[in-house]
Amino acid sequence: KQAAKQDVYQLFAEKVRDHKDLESRWAVLQETRVEYFRGKDFVSFMKNHPELKEILESDRDLETEDIANNLLQKNLLVRCDRVVKTVRPGKKKLSTWPAHLEIFPERVFSENDAFFAWTFVKRRPLWQTLLSFFWPILTLAICLFPVYPHRCKLLILYSCAGLLLLILSLLLLRAAIFGAAWIVLGKRIWFFPNILAEEATLRELFRFLPKKDEEERPKWTARLFYAIVAVLVILLLRHHAPDEAARARYQKRMSNIIDDVLEWSPSLALSGMMEKQPVVNATEDNNKFSNESKVNSETVTPPDETENPDETDQHQTNNTI
């Protein structure tokens, strides 16, 4: 019966964790990423979804606090506390969802500023399992990029360049909006606030609307100073912007590099290697050797010419006598 009750609470915990109405976040707990929720959110969630208690069978009539305490006793949950317990300079209150947690010594459920992290490993959906099998194939396909057809190379090149341009444009746009709103209105407005977060889930990563600004309003002197700095930076960049000739040279250089990558093929690479190596032919070597032997024989000096000139004259005189 105890084992069956343990399975019931395991099933209940999995259902609650997978439910989209329970608000949760990811944080770092002792160098481990965990998914956690707040105690007050769990209480409100159970009030709105009492049908989930039917999974507990004999314990379906228990109160929400008793159910949470049973989850804590069965090590399906662990109570956590925020690491930073003091308000940081420039903020009015503590963070609603802290990014770093630590284990709370007492294993008792509470609604007041209490956080609870799931301790069991969440079951992976089917698409994640299939994706894990496709990763090696994708890696091999990336390594074989140089031997792709020319049209495939162009498609991949323009797709990657367009995606990179989209990301950089989005970052530049959100930074410009933040700077303009901070200088003009004195408010901190970040569109796509979690786009650079390392601990955000995929759903949190593409959240468009920002949270409510909890920090103090900036002073007008600071806003004026950064406005002047921004204007000076814009004027400096405009003054040192490259002219049309420099832009054309840079574009030609980059186009040559890209063309070398796109036009590479194994056949061209092998032909280039063969052209660099000297061609060896047996017939040409024999002809060359015979020609060299003839030239050497013609340039050899006769033995009479190598004698001493005085001895040669004396020999001619004797013959005359």
Side-chain angles (χ1 to χ4, degrees):
K1 291 182 179 179
Q2 186 176 1
K5 189 176 293 185
Q6 178 76 18
D7 296 337
V8 168
Y9 275 94
Q10 177 73 31
L11 181 60
F12 173 78
E14 292 177 356
K15 290 290 184 180
V16 173
R17 185 175 182 179
D18 293 336
H19 207 286
K20 61 180 180 179
D21 291 342
L22 179 61
E23 189 175 5
S24 61
R25 295 288 189 276
W26 288 86
V28 178
L29 175 65
Q30 295 181 352
E31 300 180 356
T32 304
R33 293 185 73 250
V34 294
E35 186 180 6
Y36 73 100
F37 57 89
R38 298 179 298 184
K40 58 181 181 180
D41 294 335
F42 183 75
V43 173
S44 61
F45 171 77
M46 294 305 299
K47 289 181 180 180
N48 298 328
H49 301 278
E51 68 278 1
L52 293 177
K53 291 184 179 181
E54 299 296 331
I55 303 176
L56 300 176
E57 297 178 354
S58 60
D59 293 343
R60 59 179 176 271
D61 296 330
L62 294 177
E63 298 294 333
T64 302
E65 295 183 0
D66 297 333
I67 295 175
N69 288 326
N70 290 335
L71 292 175
L72 290 171
Q73 293 297 326
K74 298 178 184 301
N75 294 326
L76 296 174
L77 284 179
V78 59
R79 183 173 176 179
C80 307
D81 193 9
R82 60 178 76 245
V83 176
V84 180
K85 301 179 178 62
T86 57
V87 181
R88 294 181 178 180
K91 292 189 176 182
K92 299 179 181 179
K93 58 180 181 179
L94 293 173
S95 176
T96 306
W97 296 95
H100 298 274
L101 299 173
E102 61 183 3
I103 297 178
F104 194 75
E106 298 181 3
R107 302 174 62 180
V108 181
F109 181 80
S110 176
E111 299 183 38
N112 301 323
D113 198 24
F115 306 97
F116 300 90
W118 301 105
T119 57
F120 60 92
V121 179
K122 187 177 180 180
R123 293 182 179 179
R124 294 191 304 174
L126 180 60
W127 68 270
Q128 290 186 359
T129 305
L130 295 177
L131 186 62
S132 62
F133 286 101
F134 284 120
W135 275 120
I137 300 176
L138 180 61
T139 304
L140 181 62
I142 294 174
C143 295
L144 294 177
F145 174 78
V147 297
Y148 284 0
H150 188 73
R151 292 184 178 179
C152 295
K153 290 181 180 180
L154 288 178
L155 179 61
I156 295 174
L157 175 65
Y158 290 137
S159 300
C160 295
L163 181 61
L164 181 61
L165 181 61
L166 177 62
I167 295 175
L168 295 178
S169 301
L170 181 60
L171 294 177
L172 182 61
L173 178 62
R174 69 193 294 267
I177 294 175
F178 174 82
W182 190 84
I183 293 173
V184 178
L185 304 176
K187 296 183 179 181
R188 300 169 179 85
I189 301 176
W190 282 111
F191 292 101
F192 295 102
N194 298 325
I195 195 172
L196 298 177
E198 298 179 356
E199 301 167 359
T201 60
L202 188 63
R203 182 180 61 183
E204 298 174 353
L205 190 65
F206 293 98
R207 188 179 60 189
F208 180 76
L209 296 177
K211 293 182 179 180
K212 185 179 179 181
D213 189 10
E214 300 177 354
E215 300 183 7
E216 296 180 357
R217 188 182 181 89
K219 298 180 180 180
W220 67 271
T221 54
R223 293 160 56 189
L224 180 61
F225 172 75
Y226 283 105
I228 296 174
V229 171
V231 172
L232 293 177
V233 169
I234 293 174
L235 293 177
L236 183 64
L237 293 177
R238 183 178 180 182
H239 178 71
H240 291 281
D243 54 0
E244 186 65 22
R247 186 199 62 79
R249 290 194 301 270
Y250 180 76
Q251 181 180 2
K252 183 178 180 180
R253 190 184 307 114
M254 291 301 299
S255 62
N256 292 336
I257 296 174
I258 295 174
D259 291 341
D260 292 341
V261 175
L262 293 178
E263 295 177 359
W264 187 91
S265 64
S267 59
L268 292 178
L270 293 176
S271 63
M273 294 175 60
M274 295 301 295
E275 290 177 358
K276 293 180 181 179
Q277 294 181 356
V279 180
V280 179
N281 193 341
T283 306
E284 293 180 356
D285 289 344
N286 294 331
N287 296 333
K288 183 177 180 181
F289 179 76
S290 60
N291 294 332
E292 290 180 354
S293 60
K294 290 180 180 179
V295 172
N296 292 333
S297 60
E298 292 177 356
T299 54
V300 173
T301 306
D304 294 340
E305 295 180 359
T306 58
E307 294 179 358
N308 192 354
D310 297 336
E311 294 179 356
T312 303
D313 295 341
Q314 185 176 3
H315 181 69
Q316 292 178 355
T317 305
N318 294 331
N319 291 333
T320 304
I321 296 173

